[in-house]
Amino acid sequence: MNTSRPKIPGTTPFDGVQARKGYALNKMCYSFNSAENRAAFLEDEEAYMRKFGLNAEQAAAIRARNVLALIAAGGNAYYLAKFAGIFGLDMQDIGAQQTGLTKAEFQAKLRAAANG
Amino acid sequence: MARLIGGLGTSHIPAIGGAIHKGLQQEPYWKPFFDGFPPARRWLDKVKPDVVVIFYNDHGLNFFLDKMPTFAVGAAAEYRNADEGWGIPTLPPFRGDQDLSWHLIESLIDRSFDVTTCQEMMIDHACTLPLKLFWPIGDCPVAIVPVCINTVQFPLPAAARVYALGRAAGEAINSWDSDKRVAVIASGGLSHQLDGERAGFINKEFDTEFLASLVSNPEWATQFSIHELVEKTGTQGIELLMWLAMRASLTAASPTVRMLHSNYYIPISNTATALMVLEAA
């Protein structure tokens, strides 16, 4: 996306810059489509990350289960969702984490949008 | 010639698959969403399409960032669903219509839409769930032609370009030498954002205006750039492009459409969900 456009607050469009930066991270997350790969990750996280060549920033964000840090490291929402799925987290859990709300508060915010 | 009878739009969310599997359709959380569908099913039961062309966006099942087509058209005899990472039970394979696939591919490329053709294509929840929502019982009675539009990696195709693609697809359906009845489906949207500090963003005012525009002023949303649409609808709300393609297809069938049914409900997961049935007048 053209960087001269005004930034949308709290939003990182997944453009070429992000796609290049996040390739290894997203490729690892894409591999989680397979149950076998999900099990292999859980068995030895560090070895699994090395296999995909994650950089230090990406590996730290994975260890921290921190979605905003994963996005900053080039993660794409669609692939990160597969990572979150390993831990049984749904999109409202992820939304709550990113917005600094409890899940109940995040759900209330969503419901409030119905009135707006 | 084939007959383009109408179009349907619906949201897709992985959790819908889980809800169907667990039979939660009448639970308070799900009821307002699932209760929208019986009128759509009654219409489909009356008009009985043989084939549906479905505009959807893949979420990292068939396509990864190694190769990311902007527009991809399925040309397979059968389309398989697979694990997308959450262990939601997969649906049985769906039947393709290769005659329509290749007619569509030839027509689109002839009109300068240089699509990627896929003789093998796994279809994710965005393609399978609408089929299961519209035909919940037994085998899916329609053959499908999936058309995947990239919403994963920017740059995304402009709304006006997607609208033109949809119109070209509608013209292709109308010129298909077949006695089959064809419907078009849009899978996606409406406003929602999964990622970033703006996660949970929903814009009811825009969604309402967009849905109304689909009935009587279908080109309305093409005035906006992708950047503006992301701002107004969220990073995943951009899936409204599918609805634009669906609606544009219908312009090839008739100058106006009849809106037979619609539903709009906030929220399922993080999404403002919508359903609409449009009949070619």
Side-chain angles (χ1 to χ4, degrees):
Chain A
M1 184 169 277
N2 187 333
T3 48
S4 68
R5 290 178 185 132
K7 185 170 158 49
I8 302 167
T11 302
T12 307
F14 188 75
D15 58 9
V17 173
Q18 292 299 105
R20 285 171 67 177
K21 192 201 296 182
Y23 193 78
L25 170 62
N26 290 315
K27 191 167 181 180
M28 182 181 84
C29 292
Y30 176 65
S31 81
F32 296 145
N33 278 341
S34 146
E36 198 179 310
N37 290 339
R38 297 196 292 272
F41 172 84
L42 287 173
E43 197 170 309
D44 189 344
E45 245 179 75
E46 296 298 325
Y48 202 84
M49 288 196 285
R50 277 197 303 277
K51 182 175 143 193
F52 282 86
L54 268 60
N55 65 27
E57 182 192 2
Q58 292 165 343
I62 287 283
R63 284 183 207 110
R65 310 328 188 205
N66 184 315
V67 178
L68 291 176
L70 286 164
I71 292 168
N76 171 284
Y78 292 119
Y79 305 111
L80 294 179
K82 300 172 195 294
F83 172 63
I86 293 180
F87 309 102
L89 299 175
D90 65 27
M91 284 304 121
Q92 294 182 344
D93 294 307
I94 299 301
Q97 189 198 91
Q98 294 176 96
T99 51
L101 301 173
T102 66
K103 189 172 185 179
E105 288 166 346
F106 186 73
Q107 289 167 329
K109 173 180 135 91
L110 290 166
R111 282 194 300 272
N115 306 319
Chain B
M1 290 295 150
R3 182 145 171 252
L4 176 51
I5 54 179
L8 306 109
T10 177
S11 303
H12 60 240
I13 297 153
I16 295 168
I20 292 172
H21 179 69
K22 293 177 200 148
L24 304 179
Q25 292 92 331
Q26 291 304 307
E27 295 286 315
Y29 176 87
W30 288 105
K31 188 176 166 54
F33 173 76
F34 280 99
D35 279 1
F37 284 87
R41 293 173 194 146
R42 282 194 291 275
W43 178 72
L44 287 165
D45 200 40
K46 191 180 84 179
V47 298
K48 290 189 171 39
D50 303 296
V51 191
V52 296
V53 172
I54 175 161
F55 297 100
Y56 79 107
N57 56 295
D58 179 80
H59 300 66
L61 178 65
N62 191 68
F63 296 113
F64 179 59
L65 303 172
D66 59 336
K67 304 169 194 75
M68 185 55 70
T70 297
F71 301 126
V73 179
E78 181 182 88
Y79 299 93
R80 290 182 176 273
N81 182 216
D83 189 350
E84 295 176 51
W86 311 297
I88 293 170
T90 55
L91 293 169
F94 291 85
R95 188 163 45 91
D97 188 315
Q98 290 177 292
D99 290 341
L100 179 55
S101 285
W102 284 104
H103 175 71
L104 186 60
I105 289 162
E106 286 166 14
S107 304
L108 288 174
I109 291 181
D110 192 47
R111 289 166 168 81
S112 301
F113 291 93
D114 301 323
V115 299
T116 300
T117 63
C118 303
Q119 290 209 62
E120 291 188 45
M121 192 178 193
M122 282 191 293
I123 50 173
D124 76 351
H125 69 276
C127 188
T128 62
L129 287 179
L131 299 167
K132 200 64 191 168
L133 287 164
F134 292 132
W135 292 281
I137 312 289
D139 293 336
C140 181
V142 295
I144 66 169
V145 176
V147 178
C148 183
I149 300 176
N150 166 39
T151 60
V152 174
Q153 180 179 267
F154 289 71
L156 310 185
R161 179 71 174 158
V162 171
Y163 189 90
L165 173 87
R167 187 160 48 201
E171 286 164 359
I173 293 165
N174 265 347
S175 67
W176 182 31
D177 186 11
S178 163
D179 58 3
K180 289 187 176 160
R181 298 161 67 78
V182 183
V184 283
I185 294 177
S187 173
L190 290 184
S191 62
H192 65 301
Q193 175 153 340
L194 304 178
D195 49 302
E197 294 88 344
R198 203 171 74 132
F201 175 79
I202 284 173
N203 187 346
K204 184 181 179 181
E205 190 183 346
F206 183 89
D207 287 345
T208 306
E209 199 165 3
F210 176 65
L211 288 172
S213 78
L214 291 176
V215 180
S216 53
N217 184 17
E219 292 186 51
W220 175 76
T222 65
Q223 70 182 290
F224 300 113
S225 69
I226 290 292
H227 184 86
E228 288 168 330
L229 287 171
V230 168
E231 187 172 33
K232 290 173 190 304
T233 70
T235 39
Q236 281 73 41
I238 197 66
E239 292 169 351
L240 66 79
L241 293 176
M242 312 303 147
W243 291 65
L244 264 187
M246 175 275 285
R247 178 59 183 88
S249 301
L250 300 181
T251 61
S254 67
T256 58
V257 294
R258 273 192 300 274
M259 204 266 284
L260 299 181
H261 176 61
S262 72
N263 189 36
Y264 181 78
Y265 174 68
I266 298 170
I268 295 294
S269 183
N270 292 7
T271 305
T273 65
L275 167 67
M276 187 174 264
V277 181
L278 297 170
E279 188 171 58

